[in-house]
């Protein structure tokens, strides 16, 4: 998943490398929203980031009808 807007960060999934202007989730941390809903709330900055990343990714997927 890649979105191109000049001067912005591109929200990408785990398959893309975390490089300049590519904003992917942290590897090795919980990611999907159902894990956060069923179990405990995110703890630590990496899990909080992955929770927000997953939420944004779901909004983008819904807006494109995927």
């Amino acid at each position: 998943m890649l979105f191109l807007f000049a001067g912005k960060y591109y929200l990408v999934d785990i398959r893309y490398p975390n490089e300049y202007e590519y904003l992917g989730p942290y590897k090795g941390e919980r990611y999907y929203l159902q894990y956060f809903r069923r179990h405990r709330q995110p703890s630590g900055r990496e899990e909080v980031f992955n929770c927000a990343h997953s939420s944004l990714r779901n909004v983008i997927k819904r807006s494109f009808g995927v």
Side-chain angles (χ1 to χ4, degrees):
M1 181 180 289
L2 175 65
F3 296 94
L4 303 174
F5 297 106
K8 305 288 181 178
Y9 287 97
Y10 307 134
L11 185 68
V12 297
D13 62 11
I14 199 82
R15 294 177 289 184
Y16 290 88
N18 271 338
E19 294 181 1
Y20 182 71
E21 295 184 349
Y22 288 93
L23 193 56
Y26 283 97
K27 296 178 182 176
E29 297 290 333
R30 292 187 303 158
Y31 179 71
Y32 295 103
L33 289 177
Q34 68 249 16
Y35 296 136
F36 295 115
R37 289 184 185 136
R38 287 187 207 155
H39 303 288
R40 59 181 171 79
Q41 292 296 315
S43 62
R45 64 182 186 172
E46 288 88 3
E47 281 190 0
V48 170
F49 176 83
N50 280 359
C51 183
H53 188 280
S54 182
S55 180
L56 287 171
R57 185 171 178 247
N58 286 340
V59 170
I60 292 167
K61 285 175 82 172
R62 279 196 310 267
S63 67
F64 282 102
V66 174

